[in-house]
Amino acid sequence: LDLALIGNCSYGALIDKLGTVKWCCLPRFDGDPVFCSLLRRTNDIGFYEISLEGFSHSKQHYVRNTGVLKTELYNKNGDGIEITDFAPRFMMFGRAYRPIMLIRIVRPLAGHPRIRVRIRPTFGYGWGSPEKTRGTNHIRYLLPNFAIRVTTNAPISYIVDEVLFEVTETTTFALMPDESLKESLHEIATSYLDKTVDYWHEYSRVLSIPFEWQEQVIRSCIALKMCSFEETGAMMASITSSIPVSPKAQGYDLRFCWLRDSSNIIHTLNKLGSTTTMEDFLKYISNIVGSSESKDGHLQPVYGIALETSLYEKEMHRLAGYRGLGPVRVGNKDYKLLQNDVYGHVIL
């Protein structure tokens, strides 16, 4: 569970120390996981891997005060690559631009590194692999509800056949909905990276950070920001489902918003000066209160990130669960509970 979080408040992804995407739901946080090897027993589908031949060790860090992740992979011969992962977000035309896009930039660091790229999305919570077609510079994956494509400047045959190839120049991959790029891949990746770094730096710069534990507080604020669904203002308890808190505990789907946590979140964001996120969350709470009038003022303990009220819980037996600690659940039956303290938390 030592995973790095990247996101742009539209979706999120979890990446391990080797630079493999282990969890990612699309087109939003509570969607069907396109990558779900975190909850699979076998490592055959549901991941996005860039591996180095003869791998020996890795290093990983965020670009300081940002949500941009860098992973360095080295082999026994001293060959190395750097993988830069980020979800673009920045201001465009006076509003936040947060596309459903995962950009991965692979840069050779030393020697003559050879990599293998394996992109194996899935659907139906691990039910199967989508049909794929190839273009000149992209691979299209046909999921039941929508299609995604990976555009790259790497040879498409190498990606489709998952063969080793030498990285002699910067290689870029852009996973996104099945739409054509309006600019060159290199220009988009470079521009979006610079603008995303600038956005996170500006976000961090205006925070009211205490004298002690500055690095940890900033990182926590960025993580909290990435766990918000900015379209509605909702704050999720987690971007994952069915991760148990201990080997003997059950896991639950936590990709929803609990009102019990709301007053603590508001208090913390206000204290740290993250007022925009706080205002968005207050709008979300206000919408919940407004819609409750038709139900005699009844408030549920938990709501969906787009104000969904019926969060029917079911078990997805196609996934074994984290380390086999199933079952994997979708939805959360807590929405049926009667908890009177939620009224107090909303008032606070």
Side-chain angles (χ1 to χ4, degrees), residues 300-329:
Q300 299 175 187
V302 56
Y303 288 83
I305 61 175
L307 303 178
E308 295 89 351
T309 55
S310 299
L311 310 177
Y312 300 110
E313 183 177 301
K314 57 184 177 180
E315 297 181 359
M316 309 301 290
H317 296 286
R318 305 182 192 102
L319 295 174
Y322 177 70
R323 296 190 178 184
L325 300 173
V328 172
R329 292 182 170 89

PDB file of all heavy atoms in Angstrom, residues 300-329:
ATOM      1  N   GLN A 300     -28.880  11.601   4.935  1.00  0.00           N
ATOM      2  CA  GLN A 300     -28.182  10.324   5.001  1.00  0.00           C
ATOM      3  C   GLN A 300     -26.783  10.530   5.574  1.00  0.00           C
ATOM      4  O   GLN A 300     -26.224  11.635   5.493  1.00  0.00           O
ATOM      5  CB  GLN A 300     -28.066   9.706   3.599  1.00  0.00           C
ATOM      6  CG  GLN A 300     -29.391   9.427   2.937  1.00  0.00           C
ATOM      7  CD  GLN A 300     -29.246   8.921   1.519  1.00  0.00           C
ATOM      8  OE1 GLN A 300     -30.222   8.772   0.804  1.00  0.00           O
ATOM      9  NE2 GLN A 300     -28.002   8.674   1.091  1.00  0.00           N
ATOM     10  N   PRO A 301     -26.163   9.477   6.100  1.00  0.00           N
ATOM     11  CA  PRO A 301     -24.778   9.607   6.573  1.00  0.00           C
ATOM     12  C   PRO A 301     -23.789   9.793   5.424  1.00  0.00           C
ATOM     13  O   PRO A 301     -22.743  10.413   5.599  1.00  0.00           O
ATOM     14  CB  PRO A 301     -24.522   8.281   7.296  1.00  0.00           C
ATOM     15  CG  PRO A 301     -25.864   7.684   7.532  1.00  0.00           C
ATOM     16  CD  PRO A 301     -26.742   8.174   6.432  1.00  0.00           C
ATOM     17  N   VAL A 302     -24.132   9.254   4.249  1.00  0.00           N
ATOM     18  CA  VAL A 302     -23.188   9.253   3.132  1.00  0.00           C
ATOM     19  C   VAL A 302     -23.950   9.464   1.828  1.00  0.00           C
ATOM     20  O   VAL A 302     -25.088   9.013   1.672  1.00  0.00           O
ATOM     21  CB  VAL A 302     -22.395   7.917   3.100  1.00  0.00           C
ATOM     22  CG1 VAL A 302     -23.327   6.718   3.029  1.00  0.00           C
ATOM     23  CG2 VAL A 302     -21.396   7.879   1.953  1.00  0.00           C
ATOM     24  N   TYR A 303     -23.283  10.172   0.901  1.00  0.00           N
ATOM     25  CA  TYR A 303     -23.858  10.446  -0.417  1.00  0.00           C
ATOM     26  C   TYR A 303     -22.814  10.159  -1.497  1.00  0.00           C
ATOM     27  O   TYR A 303     -21.601  10.140  -1.228  1.00  0.00           O
ATOM     28  CB  TYR A 303     -24.293  11.911  -0.531  1.00  0.00           C
ATOM     29  CG  TYR A 303     -25.520  12.257   0.280  1.00  0.00           C
ATOM     30  CD1 TYR A 303     -25.417  12.565   1.629  1.00  0.00           C
ATOM     31  CD2 TYR A 303     -26.787  12.286  -0.307  1.00  0.00           C
ATOM     32  CE1 TYR A 303     -26.539  12.886   2.384  1.00  0.00           C
ATOM     33  CE2 TYR A 303     -27.921  12.612   0.436  1.00  0.00           C
ATOM     34  CZ  TYR A 303     -27.789  12.901   1.780  1.00  0.00           C
ATOM     35  OH  TYR A 303     -28.900  13.220   2.519  1.00  0.00           O
ATOM     36  N   GLY A 304     -23.300   9.973  -2.712  1.00  0.00           N
ATOM     37  CA  GLY A 304     -22.395   9.837  -3.843  1.00  0.00           C
ATOM     38  C   GLY A 304     -21.749  11.164  -4.183  1.00  0.00           C
ATOM     39  O   GLY A 304     -22.206  12.224  -3.768  1.00  0.00           O
ATOM     40  N   ILE A 305     -20.692  11.116  -4.984  1.00  0.00           N
ATOM     41  CA  ILE A 305     -19.943  12.344  -5.262  1.00  0.00           C
ATOM     42  C   ILE A 305     -20.702  13.292  -6.180  1.00  0.00           C
ATOM     43  O   ILE A 305     -20.320  14.452  -6.323  1.00  0.00           O
ATOM     44  CB  ILE A 305     -18.548  12.034  -5.854  1.00  0.00           C
ATOM     45  CG1 ILE A 305     -18.674  11.268  -7.175  1.00  0.00           C
ATOM     46  CG2 ILE A 305     -17.717  11.260  -4.848  1.00  0.00           C
ATOM     47  CD1 ILE A 305     -17.327  11.034  -7.862  1.00  0.00           C
ATOM     48  N   ALA A 306     -21.776  12.807  -6.798  1.00  0.00           N
ATOM     49  CA  ALA A 306     -22.643  13.684  -7.596  1.00  0.00           C
ATOM     50  C   ALA A 306     -24.044  13.706  -7.002  1.00  0.00           C
ATOM     51  O   ALA A 306     -25.038  13.752  -7.724  1.00  0.00           O
ATOM     52  CB  ALA A 306     -22.683  13.236  -9.054  1.00  0.00           C
ATOM     53  N   LEU A 307     -24.120  13.653  -5.668  1.00  0.00           N
ATOM     54  CA  LEU A 307     -25.362  13.742  -4.889  1.00  0.00           C
ATOM     55  C   LEU A 307     -26.235  12.489  -4.996  1.00  0.00           C
ATOM     56  O   LEU A 307     -27.417  12.537  -4.651  1.00  0.00           O
ATOM     57  CB  LEU A 307     -26.183  14.973  -5.297  1.00  0.00           C
ATOM     58  CG  LEU A 307     -25.488  16.339  -5.192  1.00  0.00           C
ATOM     59  CD1 LEU A 307     -26.425  17.433  -5.684  1.00  0.00           C
ATOM     60  CD2 LEU A 307     -25.052  16.615  -3.765  1.00  0.00           C
ATOM     61  N   GLU A 308     -25.680  11.377  -5.453  1.00  0.00           N
ATOM     62  CA  GLU A 308     -26.460  10.141  -5.513  1.00  0.00           C
ATOM     63  C   GLU A 308     -26.888   9.739  -4.100  1.00  0.00           C
ATOM     64  O   GLU A 308     -26.105   9.834  -3.151  1.00  0.00           O
ATOM     65  CB  GLU A 308     -25.659   8.999  -6.145  1.00  0.00           C
ATOM     66  CG  GLU A 308     -25.293   9.204  -7.599  1.00  0.00           C
ATOM     67  CD  GLU A 308     -23.981   9.921  -7.794  1.00  0.00           C
ATOM     68  OE1 GLU A 308     -23.425  10.424  -6.781  1.00  0.00           O
ATOM     69  OE2 GLU A 308     -23.510  10.012  -8.932  1.00  0.00           O
ATOM     70  N   THR A 309     -28.121   9.286  -3.983  1.00  0.00           N
ATOM     71  CA  THR A 309     -28.650   8.916  -2.673  1.00  0.00           C
ATOM     72  C   THR A 309     -28.746   7.408  -2.477  1.00  0.00           C
ATOM     73  O   THR A 309     -28.683   6.932  -1.342  1.00  0.00           O
ATOM     74  CB  THR A 309     -30.054   9.521  -2.470  1.00  0.00           C
ATOM     75  OG1 THR A 309     -30.902   9.111  -3.558  1.00  0.00           O
ATOM     76  CG2 THR A 309     -29.979  11.038  -2.435  1.00  0.00           C
ATOM     77  N   SER A 310     -28.898   6.652  -3.537  1.00  0.00           N
ATOM     78  CA  SER A 310     -29.018   5.190  -3.433  1.00  0.00           C
ATOM     79  C   SER A 310     -27.692   4.546  -3.823  1.00  0.00           C
ATOM     80  O   SER A 310     -27.369   4.431  -5.011  1.00  0.00           O
ATOM     81  CB  SER A 310     -30.145   4.680  -4.337  1.00  0.00           C
ATOM     82  OG  SER A 310     -31.389   5.230  -3.945  1.00  0.00           O
ATOM     83  N   LEU A 311     -26.929   4.148  -2.819  1.00  0.00           N
ATOM     84  CA  LEU A 311     -25.601   3.586  -3.047  1.00  0.00           C
ATOM     85  C   LEU A 311     -25.658   2.071  -2.809  1.00  0.00           C
ATOM     86  O   LEU A 311     -25.023   1.540  -1.907  1.00  0.00           O
ATOM     87  CB  LEU A 311     -24.580   4.240  -2.109  1.00  0.00           C
ATOM     88  CG  LEU A 311     -24.595   5.779  -2.080  1.00  0.00           C
ATOM     89  CD1 LEU A 311     -23.602   6.297  -1.055  1.00  0.00           C
ATOM     90  CD2 LEU A 311     -24.305   6.352  -3.455  1.00  0.00           C
ATOM     91  N   TYR A 312     -26.422   1.396  -3.643  1.00  0.00           N
ATOM     92  CA  TYR A 312     -26.650  -0.033  -3.449  1.00  0.00           C
ATOM     93  C   TYR A 312     -25.319  -0.788  -3.397  1.00  0.00           C
ATOM     94  O   TYR A 312     -24.461  -0.624  -4.276  1.00  0.00           O
ATOM     95  CB  TYR A 312     -27.522  -0.590  -4.567  1.00  0.00           C
ATOM     96  CG  TYR A 312     -28.871   0.068  -4.661  1.00  0.00           C
ATOM     97  CD1 TYR A 312     -29.187   0.908  -5.719  1.00  0.00           C
ATOM     98  CD2 TYR A 312     -29.831  -0.124  -3.676  1.00  0.00           C
ATOM     99  CE1 TYR A 312     -30.424   1.530  -5.801  1.00  0.00           C
ATOM    100  CE2 TYR A 312     -31.069   0.495  -3.737  1.00  0.00           C
ATOM    101  CZ  TYR A 312     -31.358   1.319  -4.809  1.00  0.00           C
ATOM    102  OH  TYR A 312     -32.583   1.943  -4.881  1.00  0.00           O
ATOM    103  N   GLU A 313     -25.170  -1.607  -2.371  1.00  0.00           N
ATOM    104  CA  GLU A 313     -23.920  -2.342  -2.176  1.00  0.00           C
ATOM    105  C   GLU A 313     -24.028  -3.756  -2.750  1.00  0.00           C
ATOM    106  O   GLU A 313     -25.016  -4.454  -2.528  1.00  0.00           O
ATOM    107  CB  GLU A 313     -23.574  -2.422  -0.685  1.00  0.00           C
ATOM    108  CG  GLU A 313     -22.248  -3.102  -0.401  1.00  0.00           C
ATOM    109  CD  GLU A 313     -21.900  -3.105   1.078  1.00  0.00           C
ATOM    110  OE1 GLU A 313     -21.814  -1.988   1.654  1.00  0.00           O
ATOM    111  OE2 GLU A 313     -21.725  -4.198   1.645  1.00  0.00           O
ATOM    112  N   LYS A 314     -23.010  -4.138  -3.491  1.00  0.00           N
ATOM    113  CA  LYS A 314     -22.935  -5.498  -4.024  1.00  0.00           C
ATOM    114  C   LYS A 314     -21.485  -5.955  -4.049  1.00  0.00           C
ATOM    115  O   LYS A 314     -20.560  -5.131  -4.029  1.00  0.00           O
ATOM    116  CB  LYS A 314     -23.538  -5.563  -5.428  1.00  0.00           C
ATOM    117  CG  LYS A 314     -22.919  -4.618  -6.444  1.00  0.00           C
ATOM    118  CD  LYS A 314     -23.649  -4.685  -7.772  1.00  0.00           C
ATOM    119  CE  LYS A 314     -23.063  -3.681  -8.765  1.00  0.00           C
ATOM    120  NZ  LYS A 314     -23.784  -3.736 -10.066  1.00  0.00           N
ATOM    121  N   GLU A 315     -21.289  -7.260  -4.082  1.00  0.00           N
ATOM    122  CA  GLU A 315     -19.952  -7.840  -4.080  1.00  0.00           C
ATOM    123  C   GLU A 315     -19.544  -8.214  -5.499  1.00  0.00           C
ATOM    124  O   GLU A 315     -20.337  -8.753  -6.258  1.00  0.00           O
ATOM    125  CB  GLU A 315     -19.906  -9.061  -3.165  1.00  0.00           C
ATOM    126  CG  GLU A 315     -20.190  -8.731  -1.704  1.00  0.00           C
ATOM    127  CD  GLU A 315     -20.124  -9.957  -0.811  1.00  0.00           C
ATOM    128  OE1 GLU A 315     -19.877 -11.068  -1.345  1.00  0.00           O
ATOM    129  OE2 GLU A 315     -20.334  -9.813   0.411  1.00  0.00           O
ATOM    130  N   MET A 316     -18.288  -7.890  -5.835  1.00  0.00           N
ATOM    131  CA  MET A 316     -17.744  -8.192  -7.158  1.00  0.00           C
ATOM    132  C   MET A 316     -16.737  -9.324  -7.007  1.00  0.00           C
ATOM    133  O   MET A 316     -15.567  -9.112  -6.657  1.00  0.00           O
ATOM    134  CB  MET A 316     -17.085  -6.949  -7.760  1.00  0.00           C
ATOM    135  CG  MET A 316     -17.970  -5.706  -7.748  1.00  0.00           C
ATOM    136  SD  MET A 316     -19.524  -5.917  -8.638  1.00  0.00           S
ATOM    137  CE  MET A 316     -18.944  -6.003 -10.322  1.00  0.00           C
ATOM    138  N   HIS A 317     -17.185 -10.551  -7.239  1.00  0.00           N
ATOM    139  CA  HIS A 317     -16.364 -11.717  -6.962  1.00  0.00           C
ATOM    140  C   HIS A 317     -15.295 -11.969  -8.019  1.00  0.00           C
ATOM    141  O   HIS A 317     -14.478 -12.872  -7.857  1.00  0.00           O
ATOM    142  CB  HIS A 317     -17.253 -12.951  -6.811  1.00  0.00           C
ATOM    143  CG  HIS A 317     -18.192 -12.854  -5.634  1.00  0.00           C
ATOM    144  ND1 HIS A 317     -17.754 -12.993  -4.335  1.00  0.00           N
ATOM    145  CD2 HIS A 317     -19.532 -12.606  -5.566  1.00  0.00           C
ATOM    146  CE1 HIS A 317     -18.790 -12.861  -3.511  1.00  0.00           C
ATOM    147  NE2 HIS A 317     -19.875 -12.618  -4.225  1.00  0.00           N
ATOM    148  N   ARG A 318     -15.303 -11.169  -9.087  1.00  0.00           N
ATOM    149  CA  ARG A 318     -14.244 -11.325 -10.090  1.00  0.00           C
ATOM    150  C   ARG A 318     -12.896 -10.849  -9.556  1.00  0.00           C
ATOM    151  O   ARG A 318     -11.857 -11.230 -10.065  1.00  0.00           O
ATOM    152  CB  ARG A 318     -14.600 -10.547 -11.356  1.00  0.00           C
ATOM    153  CG  ARG A 318     -15.963 -10.911 -11.942  1.00  0.00           C
ATOM    154  CD  ARG A 318     -16.223 -10.138 -13.222  1.00  0.00           C
ATOM    155  NE  ARG A 318     -17.619 -10.262 -13.628  1.00  0.00           N
ATOM    156  CZ  ARG A 318     -18.525  -9.332 -13.440  1.00  0.00           C
ATOM    157  NH1 ARG A 318     -18.187  -8.195 -12.841  1.00  0.00           N
ATOM    158  NH2 ARG A 318     -19.770  -9.496 -13.841  1.00  0.00           N
ATOM    159  N   LEU A 319     -12.937  -9.994  -8.527  1.00  0.00           N
ATOM    160  CA  LEU A 319     -11.715  -9.513  -7.901  1.00  0.00           C
ATOM    161  C   LEU A 319     -11.553 -10.194  -6.550  1.00  0.00           C
ATOM    162  O   LEU A 319     -12.495 -10.233  -5.752  1.00  0.00           O
ATOM    163  CB  LEU A 319     -11.753  -7.993  -7.712  1.00  0.00           C
ATOM    164  CG  LEU A 319     -11.786  -7.158  -8.999  1.00  0.00           C
ATOM    165  CD1 LEU A 319     -11.970  -5.682  -8.676  1.00  0.00           C
ATOM    166  CD2 LEU A 319     -10.513  -7.358  -9.808  1.00  0.00           C
ATOM    167  N   ALA A 320     -10.345 -10.701  -6.292  1.00  0.00           N
ATOM    168  CA  ALA A 320     -10.098 -11.439  -5.047  1.00  0.00           C
ATOM    169  C   ALA A 320      -9.976 -10.514  -3.851  1.00  0.00           C
ATOM    170  O   ALA A 320     -10.166 -10.936  -2.712  1.00  0.00           O
ATOM    171  CB  ALA A 320      -8.827 -12.284  -5.179  1.00  0.00           C
ATOM    172  N   GLY A 321      -9.640  -9.245  -4.103  1.00  0.00           N
ATOM    173  CA  GLY A 321      -9.418  -8.308  -3.009  1.00  0.00           C
ATOM    174  C   GLY A 321      -7.937  -8.108  -2.751  1.00  0.00           C
ATOM    175  O   GLY A 321      -7.089  -8.863  -3.230  1.00  0.00           O
ATOM    176  N   TYR A 322      -7.617  -7.061  -2.006  1.00  0.00           N
ATOM    177  CA  TYR A 322      -6.220  -6.766  -1.687  1.00  0.00           C
ATOM    178  C   TYR A 322      -5.604  -7.940  -0.922  1.00  0.00           C
ATOM    179  O   TYR A 322      -6.098  -8.341   0.127  1.00  0.00           O
ATOM    180  CB  TYR A 322      -6.141  -5.481  -0.850  1.00  0.00           C
ATOM    181  CG  TYR A 322      -4.746  -5.146  -0.405  1.00  0.00           C
ATOM    182  CD1 TYR A 322      -3.796  -4.728  -1.330  1.00  0.00           C
ATOM    183  CD2 TYR A 322      -4.366  -5.270   0.918  1.00  0.00           C
ATOM    184  CE1 TYR A 322      -2.504  -4.426  -0.939  1.00  0.00           C
ATOM    185  CE2 TYR A 322      -3.072  -4.971   1.327  1.00  0.00           C
ATOM    186  CZ  TYR A 322      -2.156  -4.544   0.388  1.00  0.00           C
ATOM    187  OH  TYR A 322      -0.867  -4.263   0.778  1.00  0.00           O
ATOM    188  N   ARG A 323      -4.548  -8.543  -1.491  1.00  0.00           N
ATOM    189  CA  ARG A 323      -3.897  -9.726  -0.927  1.00  0.00           C
ATOM    190  C   ARG A 323      -4.894 -10.864  -0.668  1.00  0.00           C
ATOM    191  O   ARG A 323      -4.728 -11.657   0.265  1.00  0.00           O
ATOM    192  CB  ARG A 323      -3.141  -9.382   0.368  1.00  0.00           C
ATOM    193  CG  ARG A 323      -1.983  -8.420   0.141  1.00  0.00           C
ATOM    194  CD  ARG A 323      -1.114  -8.279   1.370  1.00  0.00           C
ATOM    195  NE  ARG A 323       0.015  -7.397   1.122  1.00  0.00           N
ATOM    196  CZ  ARG A 323       0.981  -7.150   1.996  1.00  0.00           C
ATOM    197  NH1 ARG A 323       0.955  -7.718   3.193  1.00  0.00           N
ATOM    198  NH2 ARG A 323       1.973  -6.343   1.699  1.00  0.00           N
ATOM    199  N   GLY A 324      -5.926 -10.909  -1.476  1.00  0.00           N
ATOM    200  CA  GLY A 324      -6.929 -11.950  -1.342  1.00  0.00           C
ATOM    201  C   GLY A 324      -7.919 -11.738  -0.217  1.00  0.00           C
ATOM    202  O   GLY A 324      -8.734 -12.626   0.077  1.00  0.00           O
ATOM    203  N   LEU A 325      -7.882 -10.553   0.420  1.00  0.00           N
ATOM    204  CA  LEU A 325      -8.766 -10.275   1.546  1.00  0.00           C
ATOM    205  C   LEU A 325     -10.085  -9.689   1.046  1.00  0.00           C
ATOM    206  O   LEU A 325     -10.418  -8.549   1.310  1.00  0.00           O
ATOM    207  CB  LEU A 325      -8.079  -9.318   2.538  1.00  0.00           C
ATOM    208  CG  LEU A 325      -6.764  -9.830   3.152  1.00  0.00           C
ATOM    209  CD1 LEU A 325      -6.094  -8.736   3.970  1.00  0.00           C
ATOM    210  CD2 LEU A 325      -7.036 -11.045   4.027  1.00  0.00           C
ATOM    211  N   GLY A 326     -10.847 -10.510   0.317  1.00  0.00           N
ATOM    212  CA  GLY A 326     -12.123 -10.067  -0.204  1.00  0.00           C
ATOM    213  C   GLY A 326     -13.211 -10.124   0.853  1.00  0.00           C
ATOM    214  O   GLY A 326     -12.946 -10.396   2.023  1.00  0.00           O
ATOM    215  N   PRO A 327     -14.460  -9.863   0.496  1.00  0.00           N
ATOM    216  CA  PRO A 327     -14.875  -9.565  -0.882  1.00  0.00           C
ATOM    217  C   PRO A 327     -14.661  -8.105  -1.259  1.00  0.00           C
ATOM    218  O   PRO A 327     -14.521  -7.246  -0.395  1.00  0.00           O
ATOM    219  CB  PRO A 327     -16.376  -9.900  -0.849  1.00  0.00           C
ATOM    220  CG  PRO A 327     -16.781  -9.568   0.554  1.00  0.00           C
ATOM    221  CD  PRO A 327     -15.616  -9.966   1.415  1.00  0.00           C
ATOM    222  N   VAL A 328     -14.649  -7.861  -2.571  1.00  0.00           N
ATOM    223  CA  VAL A 328     -14.589  -6.501  -3.086  1.00  0.00           C
ATOM    224  C   VAL A 328     -16.019  -5.980  -3.220  1.00  0.00           C
ATOM    225  O   VAL A 328     -16.874  -6.639  -3.809  1.00  0.00           O
ATOM    226  CB  VAL A 328     -13.869  -6.459  -4.444  1.00  0.00           C
ATOM    227  CG1 VAL A 328     -13.979  -5.068  -5.074  1.00  0.00           C
ATOM    228  CG2 VAL A 328     -12.405  -6.843  -4.267  1.00  0.00           C
ATOM    229  N   ARG A 329     -16.247  -4.806  -2.661  1.00  0.00           N
ATOM    230  CA  ARG A 329     -17.595  -4.241  -2.652  1.00  0.00           C
ATOM    231  C   ARG A 329     -17.685  -2.992  -3.524  1.00  0.00           C
ATOM    232  O   ARG A 329     -16.749  -2.203  -3.609  1.00  0.00           O
ATOM    233  CB  ARG A 329     -18.008  -3.879  -1.221  1.00  0.00           C
ATOM    234  CG  ARG A 329     -18.216  -5.089  -0.309  1.00  0.00           C
ATOM    235  CD  ARG A 329     -18.658  -4.642   1.073  1.00  0.00           C
ATOM    236  NE  ARG A 329     -19.094  -5.768   1.900  1.00  0.00           N
ATOM    237  CZ  ARG A 329     -18.279  -6.475   2.677  1.00  0.00           C
ATOM    238  NH1 ARG A 329     -17.008  -6.159   2.735  1.00  0.00           N
ATOM    239  NH2 ARG A 329     -18.753  -7.490   3.392  1.00  0.00           N
TER     240      ARG A 329
END
